Amino acid sequence: MKFLYNLLILVCVINLAACRDDFNYEPATGSELTFSKDTVYLDTIFSNIGSSTYNLKVYNKSNKDIKIPSISLGKGDNSHFRLMVDGMPGKSFNNIELLAKDSLFIFVETTVDIKQQTNGKEFLYTDEILFQAGNNQQKVDLVTLVKDAVFLYPQKFQDGSYESLNFGDTQIYGFFLDENDVVNGNELDWTNDKPYVIYGYAAVPPNKTLNISAGTEIHFHRNSGLVTFSDAVIDADGSIENPIVFQGDRLEPSFEDIPGQWDGIWISQDSDATFNNVIIKNAVDGLFINKNKLPVNLTNLQIYNCEKNGLLLQVANIIGKNIVTNNCGVAALNINYGGTYDFTHCTFANYWNRQNQTAVVINNGDGTNEFALQAHFKNSIIYGNASESLLMAPANKETNFTFKFEYSLIKFLNSGNRFDTTNFPYNFTNTVNFNNCLIAKNFSDYQPHFFNSSKNELMITDKATSLINFGSSVYAQQVPQDLAGKSRLTSADLGAYQHVSSSVE
């Protein structure tokens, strides 16, 4: 009896399924489909480098289950776009089923060799996705901008290994730049003709100079960077109108401000550099300088969005003018193990959105003569969202720890009274160390009213009345123009910029 009962239930289920018409797909007529967008814009890519994956959503707005006869790329098998439809990769698809009031995703990627398309530096590559239904055809356009570039990367040898560099006791994935490379020519002369895309560590060989022209764009892949060897030099000479830009190789807008996309620039021991009108962004440590020989001149330098430090300086010798920093996970300026530093009209800001960060950190290692510190800050701003934007750690109190701030703004709330502000190094009334400084001891005093710190626009505005014309005219003469080229000789505001109007904030 129980067997007959179960058999009856099974028969009923089969009959009910047979009565359903959900699985009877009708050919699409072309009127049922709508799309999440009319055009899929794939962001800018470099020649022969695959894009990110983008998606298009296709909707069946009708009350019937349909079968789309054909989905294909307009250029067919010759198209440089790639599709994935309903989990299947390809360039053309037939009889795609879509339930009533349901939708499906189409994923789109592309890789384009610019040399097969044009001799130009960049061009728009286009195609379309065609949806054929009887005599009706619908389409969605595909557009991407393709840039030509100079690609620099380690060689691969016949045994499958790759070129590498011995850097101290460490072997790193990298290569020496060659002034007589068979493909790229002189790799020690970077121009603005094409962007540079670097995989691994590009190294300036001993006793060689890397010259970088104004307007040059340099892009680094993940775990890549630029490094110098002994007696090597980097001469990066941009202009206000055409700065040199170091950044990651992800060109999508969503990666515009993402920290840690590449490792950074490393000026190693006994090498030197000049950075003039340069932007460094989205690195781990933006610029690391270690025991350089001659003073490194950093002028009109901007460093943003670094996972750790913007400027990491170790027993270095630096002359800095019109430097701007922001959004760094440890410090905007980290002076480690002493050195000799002279900063004029700099804005060391840090608005990193997590804890345990600050604007400026200074220490002198174990306090021995080898790590002696001499630091001078003039007409500058040290500020951010940390309670204390200046942290100093002298090893042996005043021994080998010489510093002076003049005509500068320093944010120092001394939260929880953690610091002794009556003694060295935080005695702000001591004019030997702090001469004519503005000390912001709460969130309202001496606010710089930056134009837009979230977008790295660190110009003070006309609301920052305490900072306007507060700078020393003597030090302003050492840096007569601000980072934007505006004269400060008649009225020297604090920081790297003269103030701007806040009316459009």
Side-chain angles (χ1 to χ4, degrees):
M1 189 70 174
K2 184 176 180 181
F3 171 75
L4 292 175
Y5 176 74
N6 290 335
L7 181 60
L8 179 61
I9 292 176
L10 178 60
V11 170
C12 290
V13 171
I14 293 173
N15 288 336
L16 286 172
C19 293
R20 290 171 57 91
D21 59 3
D22 292 359
F23 306 104
N24 294 328
Y25 292 90
E26 300 181 16
T29 64
S31 61
E32 303 91 350
L33 299 181
T34 58
F35 310 101
S36 58
K37 56 193 78 174
D38 296 325
T39 303
V40 178
Y41 292 98
L42 287 75
D43 291 309
T44 304
I45 61 170
F46 290 115
S47 177
N48 282 318
I49 301 297
S51 71
S52 295
T53 301
Y54 297 80
N55 66 72
L56 169 72
K57 202 168 186 180
V58 183
Y59 301 94
N60 175 9
K61 63 182 180 179
S62 72
N63 294 317
K64 60 183 180 180
D65 303 332
I66 62 173
K67 186 178 291 185
I68 306 170
S70 172
I71 300 176
S72 62
L73 288 164
K75 294 180 181 178
D77 290 339
N78 293 323
S79 178
H80 292 287
F81 289 100
R82 302 181 296 277
L83 304 179
M84 179 173 285
V85 177
D86 205 19
M88 298 179 296
K91 297 189 177 183
S92 63
F93 309 84
N94 296 316
N95 298 321
I96 301 300
E97 298 170 347
L98 188 55
L99 295 173
K101 303 297 183 182
D102 202 356
S103 61
L104 67 85
F105 278 104
I106 296 178
F107 296 98
V108 187
E109 296 177 344
T110 188
T111 304
V112 182
D113 183 353
I114 196 170
K115 292 181 175 61
Q116 294 180 358
Q117 308 297 321
T118 177
N119 293 322
K121 296 181 183 179
E122 61 183 39
F123 80 107
L124 280 177
Y125 183 72
T126 63
D127 201 346
E128 53 194 10
I129 305 176
L130 303 177
F131 298 83
Q132 192 71 40
N135 294 324
N136 293 322
Q137 185 183 80
Q138 295 172 274
K139 69 174 185 176
V140 172
D141 292 320
L142 303 175
V143 179
T144 189
L145 178 65
V146 185
K147 283 190 174 186
D148 198 4
V150 177
F151 292 90
L152 304 174
Y153 49 86
Q155 293 183 19
K156 184 177 181 180
F157 302 118
Q158 290 183 347
D159 62 0
S161 63
Y162 286 88
E163 190 176 1
S164 62
L165 299 168
N166 291 319
F167 203 77
D169 297 329
T170 305
Q171 190 174 57
I172 59 176
Y173 176 71
F175 60 97
F176 281 113
L177 296 168
D178 187 351
E179 56 193 337
N180 295 298
D181 185 79
V182 294
V183 176
N184 300 315
N186 187 0
E187 294 178 337
L188 290 170
D189 189 10
W190 292 358
T191 68
N192 60 14
D193 185 52
K194 297 178 184 179
Y196 290 78
V197 181
I198 296 173
Y199 289 78
Y201 271 83
V204 185
N207 302 300
K208 297 293 183 179
T209 297
L210 170 63
N211 295 294
I212 308 177
S213 302
T216 303
E217 297 180 13
I218 304 102
H219 300 263
F220 295 86
H221 196 62
R222 189 165 184 82
N223 300 321
S224 300
L226 178 62
V227 64
T228 61
F229 276 64
S230 179
D231 294 304
V233 177
I234 295 177
D235 186 6
D237 191 16
S239 66
I240 292 175
E241 297 78 15
N242 295 292
I244 295 166
V245 182
F246 296 89
Q247 59 188 314
D249 65 346
R250 299 295 299 269
L251 304 183
E252 306 93 318
S254 59
F255 280 82
E256 176 68 22
D257 299 317
I258 300 298
Q261 296 181 44
W262 58 290
D263 287 356
I265 303 170
W266 189 350
I267 309 301
S268 60
Q269 185 171 343
D270 296 329
S271 56
D272 289 298
T274 297
F275 290 85
N276 180 37
N277 288 293
V278 170
I279 299 172
I280 302 171
K281 61 180 185 177
N282 306 339
V284 176
D285 289 307
L287 179 58
F288 174 37
I289 302 177
N290 177 39
K291 291 186 179 180
N292 55 294
K293 282 186 174 180
L294 302 174
V296 168
N297 287 282
L298 307 177
T299 306
N300 289 7
L301 173 65
Q302 303 173 63
I303 305 180
Y304 305 125
N305 313 324
C306 293
E307 187 175 286
K308 293 182 180 178
N309 300 283
L311 268 173
L312 178 58
L313 308 175
Q314 185 167 295
V315 200
N317 187 352
I318 305 295
I319 298 174
K321 301 174 181 179
N322 286 344
I323 298 174
V324 178
T325 63
N326 191 28
N327 198 28
C328 301
V330 176
L333 168 64
N334 191 339
I335 295 176
N336 197 21
Y337 292 102
T340 303
Y341 307 95
D342 188 279
F343 294 109
T344 309
H345 277 290
C346 295
T347 299
F348 294 115
N350 195 6
Y351 285 85
W352 184 264
N353 59 8
R354 293 189 287 276
Q355 295 181 345
N356 301 319
Q357 53 79 20
T358 191
V360 175
V361 173
I362 304 174
N363 76 67
N364 63 340
D366 61 10
T368 59
N369 292 340
E370 179 184 3
F371 302 122
L373 171 78
Q374 293 185 358
H376 196 183
F377 295 78
K378 300 162 288 184
N379 289 8
S380 294
I381 295 173
I382 299 173
Y383 204 92
N385 54 8
S387 296
E388 291 78 40
S389 291
L390 172 65
L391 296 177
M392 295 184 285
N396 299 312
K397 294 189 177 180
E398 299 183 39
T399 303
N400 288 326
F401 200 91
T402 303
F403 71 92
K404 189 167 190 176
F405 294 86
E406 294 192 272
Y407 299 92
S408 294
L409 166 64
I410 302 170
K411 181 181 178 182
F412 199 88
L413 273 58
N414 197 16
S415 56
N417 293 316
R418 294 181 299 152
F419 303 91
D420 180 2
T421 56
T422 63
N423 290 300
F424 187 90
Y426 295 116
N427 182 3
F428 296 110
T429 62
N430 181 357
T431 56
V432 173
N433 298 122
F434 300 96
N435 178 38
N436 286 308
C437 288
L438 303 174
I439 309 301
K441 297 181 180 179
N442 54 58
F443 288 104
S444 58
D445 285 349
Y446 310 125
Q447 286 191 41
H449 292 285
F450 292 125
F451 189 80
N452 193 331
S453 60
S454 65
K455 294 184 178 180
N456 295 323
E457 296 173 342
L458 278 304
M459 314 81 149
I460 66 170
T461 67
D462 48 18
K463 294 180 180 180
T465 54
S466 300
L467 282 62
I468 295 173
N469 198 25
F470 185 81
S472 164
S473 59
V474 174
Y475 295 136
Q477 290 174 7
Q478 298 176 7
V479 194
Q481 291 185 328
D482 76 353
L483 197 150
K486 186 177 180 180
S487 174
R488 56 167 58 105
L489 291 180
T490 58
S491 174
D493 300 343
L494 296 192
Y497 293 103
Q498 291 291 96
H499 71 277
V500 298
S501 173
S502 60
S503 59
V504 293
E505 281 190 290

